[in-house]
Amino acid sequence: MLDNLNMSDAVRLTSGALILLSAILTMISSGFIWLMVLVGALVMQSAFTGFCPITMVFKKLNLFTD
């Protein structure tokens, strides 16, 4: 299933998973809200600058190359 993902799909999948994870963890400890804020801010800044840390990690690991 993950074999046919391109880079942008993989970034969206990872961002969504991190936001869902932080929402679940926020029920345990309110400090995890900052993870959600960080992921949201990184997604917004990548839309304007084209710089995406998740993409850099995937490229270093040779995952989801286009």
Side-chain angles (χ1 to χ4, degrees):
M1 180 175 161
L2 296 176
D3 294 339
N4 58 359
L5 284 181
N6 61 21
M7 185 68 78
S8 64
D9 290 339
V11 168
R12 287 194 302 260
L13 177 67
T14 304
S15 299
L18 285 173
I19 289 173
L20 282 174
L21 177 66
S22 64
I24 292 168
L25 290 174
T26 300
M27 292 182 219
I28 297 169
S29 172
S30 63
F32 285 105
I33 193 77
W34 293 108
L35 177 60
M36 195 179 320
V37 170
L38 176 67
V39 172
L42 286 174
V43 169
M44 287 176 48
Q45 72 84 28
S46 71
F48 291 108
T49 64
F51 173 75
C52 182
I54 296 172
T55 303
M56 291 175 44
V57 170
F58 286 158
K59 284 182 180 177
K60 286 203 184 268
L61 296 174
N62 292 326
L63 298 173
F64 307 113
T65 55
D66 285 337

